[in-house]
Amino acid sequence: MTRTLPPGISEEQFDTALQRFRDVVGDKWVLSEATELESFRDPYPVGAEEAFIPSAVISPETTEQVQDIVRIANEYGIPLSPVSTGRNNGYGGASPRLSGSIIVKTGERMNKILEVNSKYAYALLEPGVSYFDLYEHLQANNPDLMLDCPDLGWGSVVGNALDRGVGYTPYGDHFMWQTGMEVVLPQGDVLRTGMGALPGSDTWQLFPYGFGPSPDGMFTQSNLGIVTKMGIGLMPKPPASMSFVITFDKEEDLEQIVDIMLPLRINMAPLQNVPVLRNIFMDAAAVSKRDEWFAGDGPMPADAIDKMKKELNLGYWNLYATLYGPPPMIDMYYSMIKEAFGQVPGAQFFTHEERHDRGGHVLADRHKINNGIPSLDELQLLDWVPNGGHICFSPVSAPDGKEAMKQFEMVRARANEYNKDYAAQFIVGLREMHHVCLFVYDTSDPDIRQQALDMTRVLVREAAESGYGEYRTHNALMDDVMATFNWGDGALLKFHEKIKDALDPNGILAPGKSGVWPERFRGGNH
């Protein structure tokens, strides 16, 4: 196998630099053989030709080691690609945006839970702490607290917040609940944000803003620093909870569902948590394979979709949410919810205690996740087709019924054109809606991989033309998405580039992340 090197770096220079890195972290923690790097490629590759290939992986143990790694990289002009646990699957996994970059895997050894404060309900973490790690720690030491999990709990709590990921409890906007960071900057300096910049402060994790400009957001989805510590708010465990699903039979019910949902959600009552509205493809893939319902090619016919709905006792749309508090309050809120959504003809209501059939599996899983219990059950989705992987298209819009229906019809038309099943979920915040479109495809077929990429690229463009921007994307589409945020003759990207060049003049930290390239790689020089 041909060795992948950093751009513009000779083998001799690279090997010399690798020895310098080994001197810092130890031989065991620098990987550079092809077999060692296999697991750091994109787990669900897109496009006919594989891209985003690392040249090496370094696993530091301390903030000081991260500083040394960054300084050595500046000496040699070697690009670095920081990851935490590297579980950002569907968006590129641990793979670097620029092939030949060295992955700095902070999560391998920097995995300590530094503090959990029960009184003030927060945790201070290193990047390697997964949702499972934090959950197990809380169960053993702080059972009065719970965390907020995304769909899969194997990833990093820090990494997910930095990628502005979402969960499903009232604390579902993960970055909103971060409480201060420690960051290694692109030339090796280290800073603490907010009150952490004040020596001796005991409010670092209590007031994230501190004094003056607040830089925390600049380290999310960015290439301006490597976060080595971060605080996260935790939720006091409620006295009781009840999860439920409401099933809606028709595709066209979507508009009415979303419009009913908004006033119930924006008040944070009676819909207290982040509800998710999933279509039948999303729920069927969680418990079955495609060929159980339809073995042919092309879009799944209506009778096969009806069969899925009937046998799983689900609707075309299925709304999942959880209520928290004393049981009388839960009962009151649930009656309000039933009255509101009962306006939709054919709506059916089930609590997590009422569904133990096959179609109730997702409800049981949501009940765990919505109560801060990490899960991996959603991985079943990848068995929908052989050699399954997925790519996500994730536009954000107002939580408006007409907007939801417009997006749904746009995506479904393209999915049918490219012969992809469209597993949809609308995740509803307080004033916005994440429309996460998940397309599962056979990763072993280069033509199918290319179709998945081509389709998603078309959707990015079409969505932007309708005023919808993506909140997160795959490595292969970062330039495409950033190009759509072009108000004011691209003022946002120009701003990012000026900051990038000022903080990282050698362009070594995650070149191309979120479509922001340093000067040395700008203009296609990558």
Side-chain angles (χ1 to χ4, degrees), residues 53-72:
I53 300 169
S55 58
V57 177
I58 306 172
S59 296
E61 188 176 21
T62 64
T63 297
E64 292 73 22
Q65 287 186 359
V66 175
Q67 291 180 272
D68 289 341
I69 290 165
V70 168
R71 288 170 180 145
I72 293 167

Side-chain angles (χ1 to χ4, degrees), residues 152 169 437 466:
L152 296 173
T169 76
C437 313
S466 296

Side-chain angles (χ1 to χ4, degrees), residues 23 55 80 230 270 278 282 378 435 439 472 503:
D23 293 341
S55 58
L80 303 175
M230 192 187 80
R278 298 161 55 115
M282 194 85 178
E378 290 280 300
H435 178 193
F439 307 102
R472 193 174 179 187
L503 292 179

Side-chain angles (χ1 to χ4, degrees), residues 33-237:
E33 298 297 324
T35 53
E36 297 174 320
L37 301 180
E38 278 299 312
S39 61
F40 295 91
R41 294 173 178 243
D42 186 351
Y44 310 142
V46 298
E49 300 296 326
E50 188 180 0
F52 318 116
I53 300 169
S55 58
V57 177
I58 306 172
S59 296
E61 188 176 21
T62 64
T63 297
E64 292 73 22
Q65 287 186 359
V66 175
Q67 291 180 272
D68 289 341
I69 290 165
V70 168
R71 288 170 180 145
I72 293 167
N74 273 282
E75 283 184 47
Y76 289 87
I78 292 177
L80 303 175
S81 179
V83 301
S84 46
T85 59
R87 295 291 193 178
N88 201 18
N89 294 356
Y91 296 102
S95 66
R97 173 66 184 87
L98 177 66
S99 281
S101 299
I102 292 179
I103 292 172
V104 180
K105 191 177 182 186
T106 55
E108 183 73 27
R109 302 165 74 197
M110 300 178 71
N111 53 15
K112 292 187 285 296
I113 298 170
L114 300 169
E115 180 188 1
V116 173
N117 189 301
S118 288
K119 181 177 181 179
Y120 298 120
Y122 68 77
L124 180 62
L125 310 172
E126 290 186 330
V129 177
S130 72
Y131 289 94
F132 281 106
D133 295 333
L134 183 54
Y135 170 74
E136 290 166 4
H137 181 92
L138 294 180
Q139 287 294 102
N141 302 284
N142 309 85
D144 54 329
L145 298 176
M146 59 182 267
L147 66 159
D148 185 282
C149 309
D151 295 285
L152 296 173
W154 60 3
S156 161
V157 178
V158 172
N160 187 274
L162 293 177
D163 216 29
R164 301 202 286 271
V166 296
Y168 302 96
T169 76
Y171 283 40
D173 183 343
H174 290 168
F175 179 64
M176 183 173 77
W177 292 98
Q178 76 83 24
T179 58
M181 304 178 187
E182 180 182 272
V183 188
V184 175
L185 298 175
Q187 291 185 281
D189 299 323
V190 64
L191 66 80
R192 288 185 174 181
T193 66
M195 300 306 286
L198 178 70
S201 169
D202 62 358
T203 57
W204 184 18
Q205 308 307 318
L206 304 182
F207 184 67
Y209 306 113
F211 177 76
S214 178
D216 302 60
M218 296 178 68
F219 301 113
T220 65
Q221 295 191 5
S222 87
N223 49 15
L224 299 177
I226 300 176
V227 176
T228 52
K229 296 180 180 68
M230 192 187 80
I232 193 79
L234 301 172
M235 181 174 159
K237 194 171 288 185

Side-chain angles (χ1 to χ4, degrees), residues 292-434:
E292 178 182 343
W293 313 106
F294 179 61
D297 295 324
M300 190 173 288
D303 60 343
I305 295 173
D306 286 341
K307 183 181 179 184
M308 287 194 296
K309 290 160 52 182
K310 182 178 180 181
E311 293 196 13
L312 297 176
N313 192 21
L314 292 169
Y316 187 89
W317 295 106
N318 304 287
L319 176 64
Y320 296 90
T322 298
L323 297 169
Y324 309 91
M329 189 176 84
I330 289 175
D331 292 341
M332 179 183 70
Y333 278 176
Y334 191 45
S335 67
M336 294 167 66
I337 288 165
K338 291 175 81 170
E339 181 180 358
F341 287 105
Q343 300 172 57
V344 182
Q348 296 188 70
F349 301 81
F350 305 95
T351 71
H352 73 278
E353 295 176 340
E354 296 170 340
R355 289 292 299 265
H356 302 288
D357 57 318
R358 188 183 183 202
H361 171 82
V362 172
L363 177 56
D365 193 43
R366 302 317 298 183
H367 184 63
K368 286 167 50 181
I369 292 169
N370 293 0
N371 281 280
I373 304 172
S375 171
L376 293 178
D377 285 4
E378 290 280 300
L379 284 175
Q380 169 71 29
L381 290 166
L382 301 178
D383 293 334
W384 184 244
V385 299
N387 310 299
H390 72 85
I391 188 169
C392 287
F393 167 66
S394 310
V396 172
S397 72
D400 175 83
K402 285 187 170 59
E403 296 289 332
M405 202 67 202
K406 180 179 175 182
Q407 283 193 23
F408 170 68
E409 290 174 345
M410 175 187 75
V411 177
R412 183 180 57 184
R414 288 301 179 194
N416 287 344
E417 178 187 345
Y418 283 86
N419 192 22
K420 296 287 182 290
D421 292 326
Y422 161 35
Q425 57 180 350
F426 290 90
I427 303 170
V428 182
L430 294 177
R431 292 173 179 82
E432 47 69 36
M433 187 165 63
H434 289 50

Side-chain angles (χ1 to χ4, degrees), residues 474-522:
H474 191 281
N475 282 339
L477 294 163
M478 286 180 174
D479 291 341
D480 297 73
V481 172
M482 179 54 76
T484 66
F485 284 77
N486 58 1
W487 182 89
D489 193 28
L492 180 65
L493 179 56
K494 291 174 183 176
F495 175 78
H496 289 321
E497 289 174 344
K498 286 178 182 177
I499 295 173
K500 178 66 174 170
D501 291 343
L503 292 179
D504 189 7
N506 296 316
I508 62 101
L509 199 58
K513 172 74 173 177
S514 296
V516 180
W517 294 93
E519 187 175 14
R520 67 185 274 213
F521 292 119
R522 225 166 274 155

